[in-house]
Structure formats: structure tokens, C-alpha cells
Amino acid sequence: MVTMDDISTVIIMLVRIGAVARFIYCMVRLQGAEEEAAQYKKRAKNTVLFYIIAESIWQIKDIILYYYQ
């Protein structure tokens, strides 16, 4: 039976994989496109910011669930 923890773990893994893939894509495109370098730097920075916020949300969720159990 699938529990909420299993679903949460899958979503966390998808976010991590997606963020890493997006960051790698931005870095590869940054090396190839000199005229669009600023755009890809900003996208890479936003990807890292998204990853930090997403991880923080999961940690806050775990703290809240631990507190109320």
C-alpha cells in the first residue's frame, strides 16, 4: 500500500533530479551561447534558489509533523 511518506519521497526525488538536470542544462547552454550568457546565468541562479526553497519546505513539513505527533 502506498502511504503519504512514499508519495512525499517520490516527489522530493523528482524535485531534486529536475533541479540538477535543469542546472546542468543551463551550464551546458551557457558554454555554447555567448550572446545569451546572462540569461542562462540567471536561469541557473533561479534553479538553485528554487532547489533551496523546495528543500526548506520539505524540512519545515517534517518538523511540523514531528512536533504534532
Side-chain angles (χ1 to χ4, degrees):
M1 181 161 201
V2 178
T3 63
M4 287 301 287
D5 284 335
D6 295 336
I7 294 171
S8 177
T9 303
V10 170
I11 291 172
I12 291 169
M13 292 306 290
L14 287 174
V15 166
R16 288 177 180 164
I17 292 169
V20 168
R22 176 72 175 176
F23 184 77
I24 291 171
Y25 172 77
C26 287
M27 291 295 110
V28 169
R29 293 291 299 189
L30 183 63
Q31 291 178 354
E34 303 242 349
E35 62 276 352
E36 298 173 347
Q39 180 182 10
Y40 284 109
K41 283 182 185 176
K42 185 175 180 183
R43 287 180 182 176
K45 184 182 120 198
N46 288 341
T47 301
V48 171
L49 185 64
F50 164 76
Y51 178 73
I52 291 170
I53 291 171
E55 285 292 323
S56 298
I57 289 170
W58 293 116
Q59 295 304 317
I60 291 170
K61 177 199 72 99
D62 288 341
I63 291 169
I64 290 171
L65 290 178
Y66 176 77
Y67 179 76
Y68 286 110
Q69 286 183 348

